[in-house]
Amino acid sequence: MPELLLLCFMIIPQLVAGILAKSQGRNFWFWFFISFLMPIISLIVLLFLKDKNTEKEEGTGYELAEHVRNRKVL
């Protein structure tokens, strides 16, 4: 029983990193497994990375040309 409790306690940083990454528009599984190698460091890195969801909203991505936006789809 103590081993199971210890395992549950050890997986908390991985879950937090995965959920935080998903909320920022990043890959859950990538950050989940990276957090196994560097649990606290991966959380700190995620906190300082830019949120991918806001980058698209702010218009920093590509914008379609006027003639492409106005094109009629058949």
Side-chain angles (χ1 to χ4, degrees):
M1 183 65 176
E3 295 85 12
L4 183 62
L5 190 60
L6 181 63
L7 180 65
C8 290
F9 183 72
M10 289 176 58
I11 203 154
I12 289 174
Q14 288 79 23
L15 288 174
V16 170
I19 292 170
L20 181 62
K22 187 68 173 174
S23 71
Q24 292 182 353
R26 301 185 185 283
N27 190 340
F28 174 88
W29 292 110
F30 174 78
W31 284 98
F32 182 84
F33 290 120
I34 288 294
S35 186
F36 270 112
L37 300 173
M38 306 173 291
I40 303 302
I41 296 172
S42 64
L43 289 172
I44 294 170
V45 168
L46 272 171
L47 290 174
F48 285 104
L49 287 176
K50 282 189 173 181
D51 191 351
K52 280 188 169 182
N53 293 333
T54 58
E55 287 179 5
K56 292 178 184 175
E57 294 170 3
E58 292 174 357
T60 58
Y62 292 107
E63 191 172 320
L64 293 175
E66 180 88 20
H67 69 279
V68 176
R69 264 188 287 163
N70 295 335
R71 193 176 104 186
K72 294 180 182 178
V73 179
L74 298 174

Coordinates of all heavy atoms in Angstrom, one line a residue:
M1 N 0.8 -1.2 0.0 CA 0.0 0.0 0.0 C 0.9 1.3 0.0 O 0.5 2.2 -0.7 CB -0.9 0.0 1.2 CG -1.9 1.1 1.3 SD -3.0 1.1 -0.1 CE -4.0 2.4 0.3
P2 N 1.9 1.3 0.8 CA 2.8 2.6 0.8 C 3.4 2.8 -0.6 O 3.6 3.9 -1.0 CB 3.8 2.3 1.8 CG 3.4 1.2 2.6 CD 2.4 0.4 1.8
E3 N 3.7 1.7 -1.3 CA 4.3 1.9 -2.7 C 3.3 2.5 -3.6 O 3.7 3.3 -4.5 CB 4.7 0.5 -3.2 CG 5.8 -0.2 -2.4 CD 5.3 -1.0 -1.2 OE1 4.0 -1.2 -1.2 OE2 6.1 -1.4 -0.4
L4 N 2.1 2.1 -3.5 CA 1.0 2.7 -4.4 C 0.9 4.2 -4.1 O 0.7 5.0 -5.0 CB -0.3 2.0 -4.2 CG -1.4 2.4 -5.1 CD1 -1.1 2.2 -6.6 CD2 -2.7 1.6 -4.8
L5 N 0.9 4.5 -2.8 CA 0.8 5.9 -2.4 C 2.0 6.7 -2.9 O 1.8 7.9 -3.4 CB 0.6 6.0 -0.9 CG 0.3 7.4 -0.3 CD1 -1.1 7.8 -0.9 CD2 0.2 7.3 1.2
L6 N 3.1 6.2 -2.8 CA 4.3 6.8 -3.3 C 4.3 7.0 -4.8 O 4.7 8.1 -5.3 CB 5.6 6.0 -2.9 CG 6.9 6.6 -3.3 CD1 7.1 8.0 -2.6 CD2 8.0 5.6 -3.0
L7 N 3.8 6.0 -5.5 CA 3.7 6.1 -7.0 C 2.7 7.2 -7.4 O 3.0 8.0 -8.3 CB 3.2 4.8 -7.6 CG 3.0 4.7 -9.1 CD1 4.4 4.9 -9.8 CD2 2.4 3.4 -9.5
C8 N 1.6 7.3 -6.7 CA 0.6 8.4 -7.0 C 1.2 9.7 -6.7 O 1.0 10.7 -7.4 CB -0.6 8.2 -6.1 SG -1.6 6.7 -6.6
F9 N 2.0 9.9 -5.6 CA 2.6 11.1 -5.3 C 3.7 11.5 -6.3 O 3.8 12.7 -6.6 CB 3.2 11.1 -3.9 CG 3.8 12.3 -3.4 CD1 3.0 13.4 -3.1 CD2 5.2 12.5 -3.4 CE1 3.5 14.6 -2.7 CE2 5.7 13.7 -3.0 CZ 4.9 14.8 -2.6
M10 N 4.4 10.5 -6.8 CA 5.4 10.8 -7.8 C 4.9 11.2 -9.2 O 5.6 11.8 -10.0 CB 6.4 9.6 -7.9 CG 7.2 9.4 -6.7 SD 8.2 7.9 -6.8 CE 9.2 8.2 -8.3
I11 N 3.7 10.8 -9.5 CA 3.1 11.1 -10.8 C 2.4 12.5 -10.9 O 2.1 12.9 -12.0 CB 2.2 10.0 -11.3 CG1 2.0 9.9 -12.8 CG2 0.8 10.1 -10.7 CD1 1.7 8.6 -13.3
I12 N 2.3 13.1 -9.8 CA 1.6 14.4 -9.7 C 2.3 15.5 -10.6 O 1.7 16.2 -11.4 CB 1.4 14.9 -8.3 CG1 0.3 14.0 -7.6 CG2 1.0 16.4 -8.2 CD1 0.1 14.3 -6.2
P13 N 3.7 15.6 -10.5 CA 4.3 16.6 -11.3 C 4.1 16.4 -12.8 O 4.0 17.3 -13.6 CB 5.8 16.6 -10.9 CG 5.8 15.9 -9.6 CD 4.6 15.0 -9.5
Q14 N 4.1 15.1 -13.2 CA 3.9 14.8 -14.6 C 2.5 15.2 -15.1 O 2.4 15.7 -16.2 CB 4.2 13.3 -14.9 CG 5.6 12.9 -14.8 CD 6.1 12.7 -13.4 OE1 5.3 12.5 -12.5 NE2 7.4 12.9 -13.2
L15 N 1.5 14.9 -14.3 CA 0.2 15.3 -14.7 C 0.0 16.8 -14.7 O -0.6 17.4 -15.6 CB -0.8 14.7 -13.7 CG -1.0 13.2 -13.8 CD1 -1.9 12.7 -12.7 CD2 -1.6 12.8 -15.1
V16 N 0.6 17.5 -13.7 CA 0.5 19.0 -13.7 C 1.2 19.5 -15.0 O 0.7 20.4 -15.6 CB 1.1 19.5 -12.4 CG1 1.3 21.0 -12.5 CG2 0.3 19.1 -11.2
A17 N 2.4 19.0 -15.3 CA 3.1 19.5 -16.5 C 2.3 19.2 -17.8 O 2.2 20.1 -18.6 CB 4.4 18.8 -16.6
G18 N 1.7 18.1 -17.9 CA 0.9 17.7 -19.0 C -0.4 18.6 -19.2 O -0.7 19.1 -20.3
I19 N -1.0 18.8 -18.1 CA -2.3 19.7 -18.1 C -1.9 21.1 -18.4 O -2.6 21.8 -19.2 CB -3.0 19.5 -16.8 CG1 -3.6 18.1 -16.7 CG2 -4.1 20.6 -16.6 CD1 -4.2 17.7 -15.3
L20 N -0.8 21.6 -17.8 CA -0.4 23.0 -18.1 C 0.0 23.1 -19.5 O -0.3 24.1 -20.2 CB 0.8 23.3 -17.1 CG 1.4 24.7 -17.3 CD1 0.3 25.8 -16.9 CD2 2.6 24.9 -16.4
A21 N 0.7 22.2 -20.1 CA 1.1 22.2 -21.5 C -0.1 22.2 -22.4 O -0.2 23.0 -23.3 CB 2.0 21.0 -21.8
K22 N -1.1 21.4 -22.1 CA -2.3 21.3 -22.9 C -3.1 22.6 -22.9 O -3.6 23.1 -23.9 CB -3.2 20.1 -22.4 CG -4.4 19.9 -23.2 CD -4.0 19.3 -24.6 CE -5.2 18.9 -25.4 NZ -4.8 18.5 -26.7
S23 N -3.1 23.3 -21.7 CA -3.8 24.5 -21.6 C -3.1 25.6 -22.4 O -3.7 26.6 -22.7 CB -4.0 24.9 -20.1 OG -2.8 25.3 -19.6
Q24 N -1.8 25.5 -22.6 CA -1.1 26.5 -23.4 C -1.0 26.1 -24.9 O -0.3 26.8 -25.6 CB 0.3 26.6 -22.8 CG 0.4 27.2 -21.4 CD 1.8 27.4 -21.0 OE1 2.8 26.9 -21.6 NE2 2.0 28.0 -19.8
G25 N -1.7 25.1 -25.3 CA -1.7 24.7 -26.7 C -0.5 23.9 -27.1 O -0.1 23.8 -28.3
R26 N 0.1 23.2 -26.1 CA 1.2 22.3 -26.4 C 0.8 20.9 -26.3 O -0.3 20.6 -25.8 CB 2.4 22.6 -25.5 CG 2.8 24.1 -25.7 CD 4.0 24.4 -24.9 NE 4.3 25.8 -25.0 CZ 4.9 26.4 -26.0 NH1 5.3 25.7 -27.0 NH2 5.1 27.7 -26.0
N27 N 1.7 19.9 -26.7 CA 1.4 18.5 -26.6 C 1.5 18.0 -25.2 O 2.5 18.0 -24.5 CB 2.5 17.8 -27.5 CG 2.1 16.4 -27.7 OD1 1.3 15.8 -27.0 ND2 2.7 15.8 -28.8
F28 N 0.4 17.4 -24.7 CA 0.3 16.8 -23.4 C 1.3 15.7 -23.2 O 2.0 15.7 -22.2 CB -1.1 16.3 -23.2 CG -1.3 15.6 -21.8 CD1 -1.6 16.3 -20.7 CD2 -1.1 14.2 -21.8 CE1 -1.8 15.6 -19.5 CE2 -1.2 13.5 -20.6 CZ -1.6 14.2 -19.4
W29 N 1.4 14.8 -24.1 CA 2.2 13.6 -23.9 C 3.7 13.9 -23.9 O 4.5 13.4 -23.2 CB 1.9 12.5 -24.9 CG 0.5 11.9 -24.6 CD1 -0.6 12.1 -25.3 CD2 0.1 11.2 -23.5 NE1 -1.6 11.5 -24.8 CE2 -1.2 10.9 -23.6 CE3 0.8 10.7 -22.3 CZ2 -1.9 10.1 -22.7 CZ3 0.1 9.9 -21.4 CH2 -1.2 9.7 -21.6
F30 N 4.1 14.9 -24.8 CA 5.5 15.3 -24.8 C 5.9 15.8 -23.5 O 7.0 15.4 -22.9 CB 5.7 16.3 -25.9 CG 7.1 16.9 -26.0 CD1 8.1 16.1 -26.5 CD2 7.4 18.1 -25.4 CE1 9.4 16.6 -26.5 CE2 8.6 18.6 -25.4 CZ 9.7 17.9 -26.0
W31 N 5.2 16.7 -22.9 CA 5.6 17.4 -21.7 C 5.4 16.4 -20.5 O 6.1 16.5 -19.5 CB 4.8 18.7 -21.5 CG 5.4 19.7 -22.3 CD1 4.9 20.1 -23.6 CD2 6.6 20.5 -22.1 NE1 5.8 21.1 -24.1 CE2 6.8 21.3 -23.2 CE3 7.5 20.5 -21.1 CZ2 7.9 22.2 -23.3 CZ3 8.6 21.4 -21.1 CH2 8.8 22.2 -22.2
F32 N 4.4 15.5 -20.6 CA 4.3 14.5 -19.6 C 5.5 13.6 -19.5 O 6.0 13.4 -18.4 CB 3.1 13.6 -19.9 CG 2.7 12.5 -18.9 CD1 2.0 12.8 -17.8 CD2 3.2 11.2 -19.1 CE1 1.7 11.9 -16.9 CE2 2.9 10.3 -18.1 CZ 2.1 10.6 -17.0
F33 N 6.1 13.2 -20.6 CA 7.3 12.3 -20.6 C 8.5 13.1 -20.3 O 9.5 12.6 -19.6 CB 7.4 11.5 -21.8 CG 6.4 10.5 -22.0 CD1 5.5 10.5 -23.0 CD2 6.3 9.5 -21.0 CE1 4.5 9.5 -23.1 CE2 5.3 8.5 -21.1 CZ 4.4 8.5 -22.1
I34 N 8.6 14.4 -20.7 CA 9.8 15.2 -20.4 C 9.8 15.4 -18.9 O 10.9 15.5 -18.3 CB 9.7 16.6 -21.1 CG1 10.0 16.4 -22.6 CG2 10.6 17.6 -20.5 CD1 11.4 16.0 -22.9
S35 N 8.6 15.5 -18.3 CA 8.6 15.7 -16.8 C 9.1 14.5 -16.0 O 9.4 14.7 -14.9 CB 7.1 16.1 -16.4 OG 7.1 16.4 -15.1
F36 N 9.1 13.4 -16.6 CA 9.7 12.2 -15.9 C 11.2 12.4 -15.8 O 11.8 12.0 -14.8 CB 9.4 10.9 -16.7 CG 8.2 10.2 -16.3 CD1 7.1 10.2 -17.2 CD2 8.0 9.7 -15.1 CE1 5.9 9.5 -16.8 CE2 6.8 9.0 -14.7 CZ 5.8 9.0 -15.6
L37 N 11.8 13.0 -16.8 CA 13.3 13.3 -16.8 C 13.7 14.4 -15.9 O 14.6 14.4 -15.2 CB 13.8 13.5 -18.2 CG 13.5 12.4 -19.2 CD1 14.0 12.8 -20.6 CD2 14.3 11.1 -18.8
M38 N 12.9 15.5 -16.0 CA 13.1 16.7 -15.2 C 11.8 17.3 -14.6 O 11.3 18.2 -15.2 CB 13.8 17.8 -16.1 CG 15.0 17.3 -16.9 SD 15.6 18.5 -18.1 CE 14.3 18.5 -19.3
P39 N 11.4 16.7 -13.5 CA 10.0 17.1 -13.0 C 9.9 18.6 -12.7 O 8.9 19.2 -13.2 CB 9.9 16.3 -11.8 CG 10.9 15.3 -11.8 CD 12.0 15.7 -12.7
I40 N 10.7 19.2 -11.9 CA 10.5 20.5 -11.5 C 11.0 21.5 -12.6 O 10.3 22.5 -12.9 CB 11.3 20.8 -10.2 CG1 10.8 19.9 -9.1 CG2 11.1 22.3 -9.8 CD1 9.4 19.9 -8.8
I41 N 12.1 21.1 -13.3 CA 12.6 22.0 -14.3 C 11.6 22.1 -15.5 O 11.4 23.2 -16.0 CB 13.9 21.5 -14.9 CG1 15.0 21.5 -13.7 CG2 14.4 22.3 -16.1 CD1 16.3 20.9 -14.0
S42 N 10.9 21.1 -15.8 CA 9.9 21.1 -16.9 C 8.8 22.1 -16.6 O 8.2 22.8 -17.4 CB 9.4 19.8 -17.3 OG 8.7 19.2 -16.2
L43 N 8.4 22.1 -15.3 CA 7.3 23.0 -14.9 C 7.7 24.4 -15.0 O 7.0 25.3 -15.4 CB 6.8 22.6 -13.5 CG 6.1 21.3 -13.3 CD1 5.9 21.0 -11.8 CD2 4.7 21.4 -14.0
I44 N 9.0 24.7 -14.6 CA 9.5 26.1 -14.6 C 9.6 26.5 -16.1 O 9.2 27.6 -16.4 CB 10.8 26.1 -13.9 CG1 10.6 25.9 -12.4 CG2 11.5 27.5 -14.2 CD1 11.9 25.7 -11.7
V45 N 10.1 25.6 -17.0 CA 10.2 26.0 -18.4 C 8.8 26.3 -19.0 O 8.6 27.2 -19.7 CB 10.9 24.8 -19.2 CG1 10.7 25.0 -20.7 CG2 12.3 24.7 -18.8
L46 N 7.8 25.5 -18.6 CA 6.4 25.7 -19.1 C 5.9 27.0 -18.7 O 5.1 27.7 -19.4 CB 5.5 24.5 -18.7 CG 5.5 23.3 -19.6 CD1 4.7 22.2 -18.9 CD2 4.9 23.7 -20.9
L47 N 6.2 27.4 -17.5 CA 5.7 28.7 -17.0 C 6.3 29.9 -17.7 O 5.6 30.9 -17.9 CB 6.0 28.8 -15.5 CG 5.2 27.9 -14.6 CD1 5.7 28.0 -13.1 CD2 3.7 28.2 -14.6
F48 N 7.5 29.7 -18.3 CA 8.1 30.9 -19.0 C 7.9 30.8 -20.5 O 8.2 31.8 -21.2 CB 9.6 30.9 -18.7 CG 9.9 31.4 -17.3 CD1 10.2 30.6 -16.3 CD2 9.8 32.8 -17.0 CE1 10.5 31.1 -15.0 CE2 10.0 33.3 -15.8 CZ 10.4 32.4 -14.7
L49 N 7.4 29.7 -21.0 CA 7.1 29.7 -22.5 C 5.9 30.5 -22.8 O 4.9 30.6 -22.0 CB 6.9 28.2 -22.9 CG 8.2 27.4 -23.0 CD1 7.8 25.9 -23.4 CD2 9.1 27.9 -24.0
K50 N 5.9 31.0 -24.0 CA 4.7 31.8 -24.5 C 3.5 30.8 -24.7 O 3.7 29.7 -25.1 CB 5.0 32.6 -25.7 CG 5.8 33.8 -25.5 CD 5.8 34.6 -26.8 CE 6.4 35.9 -26.6 NZ 6.5 36.7 -27.8
D51 N 2.3 31.3 -24.5 CA 1.1 30.5 -24.7 C 0.8 30.5 -26.2 O 0.7 31.6 -26.8 CB 0.0 31.2 -23.9 CG -1.3 30.3 -23.9 OD1 -1.3 29.3 -24.6 OD2 -2.2 30.7 -23.2
K52 N 0.8 29.3 -26.8 CA 0.5 29.2 -28.2 C -0.9 29.6 -28.6 O -1.1 30.1 -29.7 CB 0.7 27.8 -28.7 CG 2.2 27.4 -28.9 CD 2.3 26.0 -29.5 CE 3.7 25.7 -30.0 NZ 3.7 24.4 -30.6
N53 N -1.8 29.5 -27.7 CA -3.2 29.9 -28.0 C -3.4 31.4 -28.2 O -4.1 31.8 -29.0 CB -4.1 29.4 -26.8 CG -4.2 27.9 -26.7 OD1 -4.0 27.2 -27.7 ND2 -4.4 27.4 -25.6
T54 N -2.6 32.2 -27.4 CA -2.7 33.7 -27.6 C -2.0 34.2 -28.8 O -2.3 35.2 -29.3 CB -2.2 34.4 -26.3 OG1 -0.9 34.0 -26.1 CG2 -3.1 34.0 -25.1
E55 N -1.0 33.4 -29.2 CA -0.2 33.9 -30.4 C -1.1 33.9 -31.6 O -1.1 34.8 -32.4 CB 0.9 32.9 -30.7 CG 2.1 33.1 -29.7 CD 3.2 32.1 -30.0 OE1 3.1 31.4 -31.0 OE2 4.2 32.1 -29.2
K56 N -2.0 33.0 -31.8 CA -2.9 33.0 -32.9 C -3.9 34.1 -32.8 O -4.3 34.7 -33.8 CB -3.6 31.6 -33.0 CG -2.7 30.5 -33.4 CD -3.4 29.2 -33.4 CE -2.4 28.0 -33.6 NZ -3.1 26.7 -33.5
E57 N -4.4 34.4 -31.6 CA -5.4 35.4 -31.4 C -4.9 36.8 -31.6 O -5.6 37.7 -32.1 CB -6.0 35.3 -30.0 CG -6.8 34.0 -29.8 CD -7.1 33.8 -28.4 OE1 -6.8 34.7 -27.5 OE2 -7.7 32.7 -28.0
E58 N -3.6 37.0 -31.3 CA -3.0 38.3 -31.4 C -2.6 38.7 -32.9 O -2.2 39.8 -33.2 CB -1.8 38.4 -30.6 CG -2.1 38.4 -29.1 CD -0.8 38.3 -28.2 OE1 0.3 38.3 -28.8 OE2 -1.0 38.4 -27.0
G59 N -2.8 37.7 -33.8 CA -2.5 38.0 -35.2 C -1.0 37.9 -35.5 O -0.5 38.5 -36.5
T60 N -0.2 37.2 -34.7 CA 1.2 37.1 -35.0 C 1.4 36.0 -36.0 O 2.5 35.8 -36.6 CB 2.0 36.7 -33.7 OG1 1.4 35.5 -33.2 CG2 1.9 37.8 -32.7
G61 N 0.4 35.2 -36.3 CA 0.5 34.1 -37.3 C 0.3 34.6 -38.7 O 0.2 35.9 -39.0
Y62 N 0.2 33.8 -39.7 CA 0.0 34.2 -41.1 C -1.4 34.6 -41.3 O -2.3 34.1 -40.7 CB 0.3 33.0 -42.0 CG 1.8 32.6 -42.0 CD1 2.2 31.5 -41.4 CD2 2.7 33.4 -42.7 CE1 3.5 31.1 -41.4 CE2 4.0 33.1 -42.7 CZ 4.4 32.0 -42.1 OH 5.8 31.6 -42.1
E63 N -1.6 35.6 -42.1 CA -2.9 36.1 -42.4 C -3.1 35.9 -43.9 O -2.2 36.1 -44.7 CB -3.0 37.6 -42.1 CG -4.4 38.1 -42.2 CD -4.5 39.5 -41.7 OE1 -3.8 39.8 -40.7 OE2 -5.2 40.3 -42.3
L64 N -4.3 35.4 -44.3 CA -4.7 35.2 -45.7 C -4.8 36.5 -46.4 O -5.1 37.5 -45.9 CB -6.0 34.5 -45.8 CG -6.0 33.0 -45.2 CD1 -7.5 32.5 -45.3 CD2 -5.1 32.2 -46.0
A65 N -4.4 36.4 -47.7 CA -4.5 37.6 -48.6 C -6.0 37.9 -48.8 O -6.8 37.0 -48.7 CB -3.8 37.3 -49.9
E66 N -6.2 39.1 -49.2 CA -7.6 39.6 -49.4 C -8.3 38.7 -50.5 O -9.5 38.3 -50.3 CB -7.6 41.0 -49.9 CG -9.0 41.6 -50.1 CD -9.5 42.2 -48.9 OE1 -8.8 42.5 -47.9 OE2 -10.7 42.4 -48.9
H67 N -7.7 38.4 -51.6 CA -8.3 37.6 -52.6 C -8.6 36.2 -52.2 O -9.5 35.6 -52.7 CB -7.6 37.7 -54.0 CG -6.2 37.0 -53.9 ND1 -5.1 37.5 -53.4 CD2 -5.9 35.7 -54.3 CE1 -4.1 36.6 -53.4 NE2 -4.6 35.5 -54.0
V68 N -7.8 35.7 -51.3 CA -8.0 34.3 -50.8 C -9.2 34.3 -49.8 O -10.0 33.4 -49.8 CB -6.7 33.7 -50.2 CG1 -7.0 32.4 -49.6 CG2 -5.6 33.7 -51.2
R69 N -9.3 35.3 -49.0 CA -10.4 35.3 -48.0 C -11.7 35.5 -48.7 O -12.7 35.0 -48.3 CB -10.2 36.5 -47.1 CG -9.5 36.1 -45.8 CD -9.5 37.3 -44.8 NE -8.5 38.2 -45.4 CZ -8.4 39.5 -45.0 NH1 -9.2 40.0 -44.1 NH2 -7.4 40.2 -45.5
N70 N -11.7 36.3 -49.8 CA -13.0 36.6 -50.5 C -13.4 35.5 -51.5 O -14.4 35.6 -52.2 CB -12.9 37.9 -51.2 CG -12.8 39.0 -50.2 OD1 -13.2 38.9 -49.0 ND2 -12.2 40.1 -50.6
R71 N -12.5 34.5 -51.7 CA -12.8 33.5 -52.7 C -14.0 32.6 -52.3 O -14.2 32.3 -51.2 CB -11.6 32.6 -52.8 CG -11.6 31.7 -54.0 CD -10.3 30.9 -54.1 NE -10.7 29.5 -53.6 CZ -9.8 28.6 -53.4 NH1 -8.5 28.8 -53.6 NH2 -10.2 27.4 -53.1
K72 N -14.8 32.4 -53.3 CA -16.1 31.6 -53.1 C -15.7 30.1 -53.3 O -15.1 29.7 -54.2 CB -17.1 32.0 -54.1 CG -17.7 33.4 -53.9 CD -18.7 33.7 -54.9 CE -19.2 35.1 -54.7 NZ -20.2 35.5 -55.7
V73 N -16.2 29.3 -52.3 CA -16.0 27.9 -52.4 C -17.1 27.2 -53.2 O -18.3 27.5 -52.9 CB -15.8 27.3 -51.0 CG1 -15.6 25.8 -51.1 CG2 -14.7 27.9 -50.2
L74 N -16.8 26.3 -54.1 CA -17.8 25.7 -54.9 C -18.5 24.6 -54.1 O -18.1 23.9 -53.4 CB -17.3 25.1 -56.2 CG -16.7 26.2 -57.1 CD1 -16.0 25.6 -58.3 CD2 -17.7 27.1 -57.6

